[in-house]
Structure formats: structure tokens, C-alpha cells
Amino acid sequence: LRGLLQLRPPPSPSFLLPPLLSPPLLLPSFSRAHKRDPPLRLSCHIHRCSQRQRTHLQSETAHLPFSLFMRSCLALHLMIMLRPLSGSARSRSLSSLLAASVVLLLLVAHTSAHTSATASADKQKTFDQSAWQEVLDTYLHLGTSISDIPLYAVDYEQLRRGDDDDALHDYLSALKSVDLSQYSDDEQLAVLMNAYNAFAVEMVRSHPCKMLFGKICWPITSIRSISGFFTAVWDLKAGNIGGTEYSLDEVETNGRAFTDPRIHACVVCASVSCPNLQPFAFTGSDVEHQKNQSMINFLANTKKGLKLDEDTNTLTLSSIFLWYQSDFETFEFPTLNNGKPFGSVLSFVMAFCPDDVLTYLEAHEDDIKLEYFDYNWHLNALAATGPPSTYT
């Protein structure tokens, strides 16, 4: 190195850039990140592109300009130290070092500002839910009941009448091009919950009857009637998100990956005993309040959500609390129970049940017996495709 520097004039900053820009020097953080923390990927998939992943990747890239700056300064210092220079030459070299340092510092500042601005923009980006809200405003009817169970019913017959399903078609089309990795966790979860509900509605709308004996198309009375001979309806491809086809089960699984048990009051499987399809589209900005409201609404329904019998000291809950018991007991979510798991279904229920039920449970918590409602799989339908309905 000394011989090389003595044979050539003092190198300018441009002389240093090619070797410093080579991949082994410029990208060490990424290769180490993959070996050290394999779960963090450079590309995020539908199940969850978390804010933690995006922050990690942004911090990795943010180090690159600073690393370039440090290497450049070190190289210039080495040249000054290794080559014997006269006073004027040393002064010129120091000036070159100072100029290079200023330029690279400006590069660092610009890149950091760009990274911060990008991260901020990602957090604020929202997905347009207006088409799904239009569907709910038009076809969801509150204050109905089926088999003596109060619920919000969907007018599937009206949806099947041709042009009236434009809003649903528009929403399903918009989901095909969504890139969930561009959104915050709250926005992603809102999209997934709305997508599940829209896919379930579309499943029923597009399957008004089921062929029997190859000749008779018999009206369906349950979403489970859509199942194939070997495949349950939950495993059939139901819709497209971001260019990939997903089943209802896959969408729900991706939503559960956020470890928030309240999702079970937000996704609706088009059945009477499911939680009510809410009259609002979930949005990232309001999803925290909307999840609470959905769970409170569900547990306030004494026919399918929660019923307390003080005479027998029995609390009857939806079968959902039995099927997904581990979610309610073990899931940890920052805004629930101080970020700690509830430990039991009863503890979770006490956080959202009506006040009079809570008062009783607090006094008799150790003696409560849990039972579960039978699940009614009839369609949550307003029209003749479901069982007879009464309207209040």
C-alpha cells in the first residue's frame, strides 16, 4: 500500500468509491442478519408483515451510508499516516478528508431522513374500505332473529340480483392488488377481517343452491352445504388477496397470527351462531375500538354469546370459546391485560361481559361452571335461502 501511494498522486475521494461499493463491503448487515435472525425476512408475506420486521429492515439499511462514511474516513486517514507528505501536501490531504467527510455526512443525513419519511408514510397508509362499507349499508339488516336468536341478517337474494352486487365486486377486485406489507399491523388486520367477511358473503351469494343427483339444484340452508365431497367449505379457495388465492381458513389463520383473541368476534362465517356481522367496515385507525365493540356485542347476546344462570351457577358461552380455548388463554396482545395472557377463558370473558354479569362473576369466580351453546349453522340470511325469519 505504501509503495502504491508513493508511486501515484494523492488519491481523490472518487478513487476510493469503487472498492467501497463492492457487495461484500456494502451489504454486511444483511448477510449477518439472515444468519443471526432467520425469521426476519426481506420480503413480508400475507400472514404478517409486522412493524417489528419493517423497523428491523429499515435500521439495517440505515446503517449502510454510515458504514460507507466510516470506511472512507478510515481509508483517507490511513493514506495520510502511511505516506510521507510535505506540509502543503498534508494540508491538501486533510482538506480532501474534510471535503469527503462533509459530502458523506450529507449523504447520511439525506438517507436517514428518507428512511424516516418512508417509515412514517407506511404507518399512515390506509386501504380503502368504502366499497365493503357500502355492501354493509345496503344488504345488512339489524334487529332480526332466526330460530329465536337475535342477529344481523344479510340479504343474499338481493345480492344475487345482478347489478346490485357492484360494490361487493369492486371490493373483491381491490383486494386482489393490495400489498399488505405496505401497511401498519392495525391496517393489515382490518383488511384481513373485512376480507374474511366479504369472502364468506361471496361464497353464499355465488352458491345459491347445490346440485343433488346431478339434476336438482337444492337451495342451501348453511354455508357448510357448499362443501365438496372431500373438501370442507373452509378449505375451498374463497378469494384473492394480493394476487394469491386463499381459503376462509387461511385468511382466519393469518388474522390469528396477530395473537389478538378478539378476532373471533370480528370474523363471521355466515351462520346464525357466529358473532354478528357488524354494520361497520374495520379500519386501521379505529380497529382497536371496533374489536372491543364486536366482542362486547357478542357477549351481550344471551342466545349465542353468553348466558348466566345464577340458580345453577352456570355460565353458558359460545362454542367458539371452546374451539379456540387456547387463543383466549395464551394469546398476548399489547392492549389487552397489560400485554399478558388471560390464562383462562373466564378471565377473558370478564373483561368484556355486561356489568351485571361481571359483578356476579367477581363474587363467584371460583365456583362458576362453564357450558357451551349448541352451534346453529343455518345461514344468517334475510331471504328464503335460510330458515323462516321473524323481524322485530
Side-chain angles (χ1 to χ4, degrees):
L1 178 60
R2 181 187 297 274
L4 178 63
L5 294 176
Q6 287 178 341
L7 291 173
R8 297 185 178 184
S12 65
S14 61
F15 173 80
L16 297 171
L17 292 180
L20 289 174
L21 288 174
S22 61
L25 290 176
L26 186 60
L27 300 174
S29 300
F30 284 101
S31 59
R32 286 200 303 271
H34 281 296
K35 294 177 182 178
R36 181 180 65 254
D37 195 2
L40 294 176
R41 298 175 293 278
L42 296 182
S43 61
C44 303
H45 300 284
I46 179 177
H47 65 278
R48 190 178 185 190
C49 182
S50 68
Q51 189 61 42
R52 182 176 69 91
Q53 287 175 299
R54 288 193 296 276
T55 302
H56 176 86
L57 295 179
Q58 289 160 2
S59 64
E60 290 291 336
T61 55
H63 289 315
L64 297 180
F66 185 73
S67 176
L68 176 62
F69 166 71
M70 292 302 294
R71 288 188 177 93
S72 299
C73 290
L74 177 61
L76 287 169
H77 275 294
L78 284 174
M79 287 186 294
I80 293 172
M81 294 173 61
L82 292 174
R83 186 182 179 195
L85 300 172
S86 64
S88 59
R90 185 177 298 274
S91 177
R92 288 194 300 273
S93 296
L94 287 173
S95 298
S96 298
L97 173 60
L98 180 60
S101 300
V102 171
V103 170
L104 289 167
L105 278 174
L106 290 173
L107 174 63
V108 171
H110 172 75
T111 305
S112 298
H114 175 73
T115 301
S116 300
T118 301
S120 177
D122 283 347
K123 291 180 182 179
Q124 296 174 4
K125 190 173 181 180
T126 60
F127 182 72
D128 185 5
Q129 307 285 1
S130 60
W132 178 237
Q133 184 62 60
E134 183 179 345
V135 174
L136 297 173
D137 292 341
T138 307
Y139 304 107
L140 184 65
H141 295 260
L142 282 60
T144 72
S145 65
I146 296 176
S147 302
D148 198 34
I149 299 176
L151 81 159
Y152 304 160
V154 179
D155 191 346
Y156 294 107
E157 288 295 338
Q158 185 67 22
L159 266 172
R160 294 186 182 113
R161 291 172 188 165
D163 296 337
D164 289 333
D165 67 345
D166 283 349
L168 179 58
H169 178 270
D170 291 345
Y171 186 69
L172 296 175
S173 297
L175 288 173
K176 294 179 181 179
S177 59
V178 65
D179 180 2
L180 289 183
S181 66
Q182 301 299 313
Y183 298 93
S184 68
D185 285 358
D186 284 345
E187 195 71 29
Q188 288 182 52
L189 184 57
V191 171
L192 289 173
M193 293 190 297
N194 288 331
Y196 182 99
N197 296 337
F199 290 168
V201 168
E202 172 59 14
M203 268 282 195
V204 176
R205 187 206 67 80
S206 60
H207 295 82
C209 57
K210 186 178 176 105
M211 292 297 297
L212 297 177
F213 311 112
K215 296 181 179 180
I216 303 174
C217 193
W218 196 265
I220 64 170
T221 58
S222 168
I223 190 174
R224 297 198 299 179
S225 301
I226 302 172
S227 300
F229 192 76
F230 296 105
T231 308
V233 64
W234 321 116
D235 298 320
L236 298 174
K237 295 304 180 185
N240 188 302
I241 302 177
T244 303
E245 295 290 327
Y246 291 93
S247 67
L248 289 173
D249 182 69
E250 289 170 334
V251 177
E252 181 184 22
T253 299
N254 285 308
R256 290 173 63 204
F258 287 81
T259 68
D260 186 346
R262 291 171 295 179
I263 189 179
H264 295 295
C266 301
V267 294
V268 182
C269 59
S271 302
V272 170
S273 285
C274 288
N276 285 336
L277 185 60
Q278 295 298 316
F280 49 77
F282 296 104
T283 61
S285 58
D286 296 326
V287 73
E288 186 67 21
H289 168 71
Q290 291 171 329
K291 287 183 292 186
N292 286 338
Q293 185 174 344
S294 299
M295 184 57 70
I296 291 170
N297 178 287
F298 187 35
L299 293 180
N301 191 321
T302 59
K303 297 293 187 177
K304 64 177 180 179
L306 176 153
K307 181 180 179 181
L308 175 65
D309 187 338
E310 296 184 8
D311 293 336
T312 61
N313 211 32
T314 300
L315 187 69
T316 305
L317 299 172
S318 166
S319 293
I320 290 174
F321 290 96
L322 176 63
W323 299 335
Y324 296 98
Q325 179 177 344
S326 62
D327 290 7
F328 296 102
E329 293 178 343
T330 64
F331 274 0
E332 299 178 12
F333 196 76
T335 60
L336 292 178
N337 199 35
N338 296 319
K340 300 177 182 178
F342 282 92
S344 70
V345 168
L346 185 58
S347 295
F348 176 87
V349 167
M350 290 173 67
F352 296 95
C353 66
D355 290 341
D356 59 329
V357 175
L358 175 61
T359 301
Y360 184 87
L361 293 179
E362 288 177 336
H364 303 84
E365 183 175 356
D366 296 335
D367 303 319
I368 288 292
K369 294 177 292 185
L370 290 182
E371 293 185 357
Y372 300 93
F373 290 107
D374 292 332
Y375 212 79
N376 188 325
W377 287 103
H378 280 295
L379 287 176
N380 59 345
L382 183 69
T385 48
S389 303
T390 58
Y391 310 109
T392 57

